Amino acid sequence: MNNHADANRGVGNQNANESQIDPHILRLIPRPRDVTFRLTEEQLQLMYFTWAGARICMRQELYQPEVPLQPRPQPLVLSEVMRAMIVVWIAREHRIYEMEMQELERLLGL
């Protein structure tokens, strides 16, 4: 796949200009990097609180497998928009963590 707009010009159809998308339309469509989302302060606190709980459960399973697990709370009831925002937020945090680990490996010469 070629992401360059003019890379395939002149190949096949000689009327390539006729099939191009109007630049006016392209200005109206938001680019992926231009789309932002925001969680409220309360939602962020809830996310970090839930994250801390997940960390505690994971550490207990890893370091103290003989201890019975704490009962886990029921999943949150979320709207589709909120669920999508949280998925994006978690993916972002996951990517930041991966970048931090890569930098740590680089700094340690691993």
Side-chain angles (χ1 to χ4, degrees):
M1 182 174 157
N2 203 330
N3 291 329
H4 235 289
D6 295 329
N8 298 323
R9 185 173 293 198
V11 176
N13 185 2
Q14 295 300 323
N15 297 327
N17 289 337
E18 293 176 11
S19 65
Q20 288 182 349
I21 298 172
D22 183 17
H24 173 72
I25 301 295
L26 289 176
R27 283 192 297 270
L28 297 176
I29 300 171
R31 302 282 185 228
R33 292 187 184 263
D34 296 337
V35 176
T36 59
F37 69 94
R38 296 190 190 270
L39 296 173
T40 65
E41 188 67 30
E42 182 179 295
Q43 291 165 338
L44 271 177
Q45 288 175 357
L46 180 62
M47 287 303 301
Y48 283 116
F49 180 76
T50 306
W51 191 352
R55 183 177 292 137
I56 290 168
C57 289
M58 184 273 315
R59 289 185 186 274
Q60 182 179 345
E61 286 181 31
L62 186 64
Y63 297 116
Q64 300 171 331
E66 69 281 353
V67 177
L69 292 174
Q70 299 277 338
R72 295 187 179 166
Q74 292 293 319
L76 301 172
V77 177
L78 303 168
S79 68
E80 288 299 316
V81 172
M82 190 63 206
R83 183 181 212 85
M85 287 175 58
I86 289 176
V87 167
V88 170
W89 183 85
I90 289 173
R92 177 182 168 272
E93 291 295 325
H94 193 275
R95 182 67 184 132
I96 290 171
Y97 177 77
E98 287 178 353
M99 292 169 62
E100 289 172 350
M101 291 301 109
Q102 289 172 355
E103 184 64 21
L104 179 62
E105 290 173 351
R106 193 174 303 118
L107 291 172
L108 294 174
L110 301 175

